Amino acid sequence: MAQNIYTGFHAVEERVREYIEHPGNAELTIRYSKPGPRIKKILSLAKQAGILSEETTDRELDNAVSSLPESIREHRGIVLFAEGEKSRAANVVQLDQWLSVCPEKATVIMLDGVTDPHNVGAILRSCDQFGALLMILPERRSASDVQENQVIARSSAGASAWVPVSVVANLARSVQMLKDAGFWIYGADAGGESLQKTKFAPKTCIVMGSEGSGMSRLLSEACDTVISIPTCGKIDSLNVSVAAGVLLYERYRQSL
């Protein structure tokens, strides 16, 4: 067990709400500076949950988050410390934290039910090679424990240490968060528009379905566009990690 640090309005509020529903054994403490309306709302929730809150300075908060990955150091005046919580890998990030500092041009890949850790590792390797900035995985029905899964680490050839990963409770809700942040959602399916006709948006999220059944119906309906890779073989389709590599390469090629 270790201390995890959450930064920014969204991540802190979500962790407090999670604590209210499932307290667990972690000891939570909030430190904040210059409490505006949003912070006051979070502090009110924290008080209801019995979470200690302490006022401090921006400089102290800056020092507290200095060891975090640069992409999540922007604390917006509030930081939550969770003592005794299962430690997270350095590359595991909160989606809302990541979106708050996302650049105007970005590629994200979302895996819907990909259960083979070899495939997850291979896709992480393609993410590293072709400039994808984030992988999103669901908590359930996937090989999502990137922190502990040595198969993923080996299959990614080290990329699992560098490519940020966000493990989320609800993919459909995450898709909406991405859309709100300006992303265009491309689902991969054999019946979609040809990749040759696809012009990727500046903010692109590519959704890959499971090895057997593809994307879930709910997620497929949430996509803005469904795309496919033209092939000429005799078998049904490409392996999901190979297909992801092709799509990520084409996205990268268009960005050059």
Side-chain angles (χ1 to χ4, degrees), residues 97-114:
Q97 286 180 304
W98 187 86
L99 287 173
S100 70
V101 294
C102 173
E104 288 304 309
K105 188 173 184 180
T107 304
V108 169
I109 191 159
M110 177 181 287
L111 305 187
D112 178 19
V114 177

Side-chain angles (χ1 to χ4, degrees), residues 156-177:
S156 72
S160 62
W162 299 103
V163 179
V165 174
S166 181
V167 180
V168 301
N170 188 299
L171 288 180
R173 187 159 61 237
S174 298
V175 163
Q176 189 57 55
M177 290 172 64

Side-chain angles (χ1 to χ4, degrees), residues 229-238:
I229 301 169
T231 57
C232 61
K234 302 294 189 294
I235 59 176
D236 290 341
S237 61
L238 295 169

